[in-house]
Amino acid sequence: GAVVSQHPSWVICKSGTSVKIECRSLDFQATTMFWYRQFPKQSLMLMATSNEGSKATYEQGVEKDKFLINHASLTLSTLTVTSAHPEDSSFYICSARALDRDGEKLFFGSGTQLSVL
Amino acid sequence: QKEVEQDPGPLSVPEGAIVSLNCTYSNSAFQYFMWYRQYSRKGPELLMYTYSSGNKEDGRFTAQVDKSSKYISLFIRDSQPSDSATYLCAMSPNQGGKLIFGQGTELSVKP
């Protein structure tokens, strides 16, 4: 399947600082990427849809000013958690659509564990 | 009622057992059905992808979709300790569209 690279895999930061997470499609171009959040023992919650060259679409209840998404190229989307607080500590995962023999599918990055102290 | 219901488990089986994982859903518009495997602190890995009703087999894995009952299943034959992970069902009304996930079932295969 297609490869989606996510970096960093884990990050620890102080409360009030900003953290940037990168998501790259390595062997294909992704006009659309998705950002998810996952708490322990829970399923993935879609936060926003990232569209190359345009503004991201956020799900209801997700603060646009807190979770800044930039999709400046066909292979890179970034999520910046601004002024992070302990309640933002979570596992963040990106995904991208790619075509394979069965059709268009969603492939995921390896995730980023964010811990805010 | 959630759109997709999945028993969170945990489910513990001995090595070599046949595992059955299931999801039910309420939205009849769902056409594309997927199963993902997620190891602890890793991103989900696509295991099976099916369109509409029917069966699909890939090695030790078989996915079944029964749209009339709004019920999907994943069977794992000859389960191995390396199959220990959380299994998430996901579905979408259109190809490549927004996925709705189940809660995930935590599976443990004991040697």
Side-chain angles (χ1 to χ4, degrees):
Chain A
V3 179
V4 177
S5 175
Q6 188 172 341
H7 178 82
S9 55
W10 58 271
V11 59
I12 301 173
C13 69
K14 291 182 179 179
S15 187
T17 61
S18 294
V19 173
K20 181 185 282 189
I21 302 169
E22 291 188 350
C23 181
R24 295 180 185 274
S25 56
L26 294 189
D27 51 358
F28 65 101
Q29 294 183 331
T31 55
T32 302
M33 290 185 176
F34 303 89
W35 287 95
Y36 292 83
R37 184 173 181 176
Q38 186 179 33
F39 291 105
K41 304 284 186 186
Q42 294 189 25
S43 191
L44 284 74
M45 183 189 78
L46 180 65
M47 298 175 65
T49 301
S50 167
N51 302 296
E52 188 268 336
S54 65
K55 291 183 179 180
T57 304
Y58 290 82
E59 295 298 303
Q60 191 173 9
V62 178
E63 297 176 58
K64 301 177 184 181
D65 295 332
K66 180 160 193 63
F67 299 100
L68 299 179
I69 291 173
N70 184 281
H71 195 153
S73 79
L74 287 170
T75 58
L76 174 64
S77 175
T78 61
L79 168 68
T80 301
V81 183
T82 62
S83 186
H85 291 284
E87 58 265 29
D88 298 323
S89 298
S90 186
F91 192 58
Y92 293 86
I93 316 172
C94 69
S95 68
R97 290 177 183 155
L99 271 174
D100 76 0
R101 63 182 188 277
D102 295 321
E104 197 171 54
K105 299 176 184 175
L106 211 57
F107 295 91
F108 286 83
S110 55
T112 299
Q113 179 63 51
L114 170 64
S115 296
V116 185
L117 304 177
Chain B
Q1 183 189 7
K2 293 180 182 177
E3 273 193 290
V4 179
E5 297 275 2
Q6 184 178 4
D7 187 338
L11 179 63
S12 182
V13 300
E15 184 175 355
I18 296 175
V19 176
S20 173
L21 305 168
N22 312 292
C23 288
T24 59
Y25 62 95
S26 57
N27 188 346
S28 58
F30 289 141
Q31 298 272 23
Y32 296 87
F33 304 91
M34 287 133 276
W35 285 94
Y36 286 87
R37 176 175 63 195
Q38 185 178 25
Y39 293 111
S40 182
R41 289 292 177 258
K42 297 291 183 185
E45 171 194 7
L46 181 62
L47 275 181
M48 301 293 282
Y49 175 91
T50 52
Y51 169 70
S52 195
S53 286
N55 294 358
K56 186 172 185 179
E57 187 174 321
D58 184 0
R60 295 185 294 111
F61 299 91
T62 299
Q64 287 186 350
V65 175
D66 182 350
K67 289 189 68 181
S68 62
S69 302
K70 297 190 180 68
Y71 186 87
I72 70 171
S73 301
L74 176 70
F75 297 96
I76 306 174
R77 290 183 298 281
D78 187 25
S79 56
Q80 303 295 309
S82 58
D83 295 328
S84 298
T86 295
Y87 290 80
L88 296 144
C89 65
M91 44 200 82
S92 174
N94 36 54
Q95 192 177 90
K98 177 179 172 180
L99 288 183
I100 307 299
F101 283 89
Q103 187 176 350
T105 300
E106 186 179 348
L107 171 67
S108 177
V109 181
K110 304 293 186 185

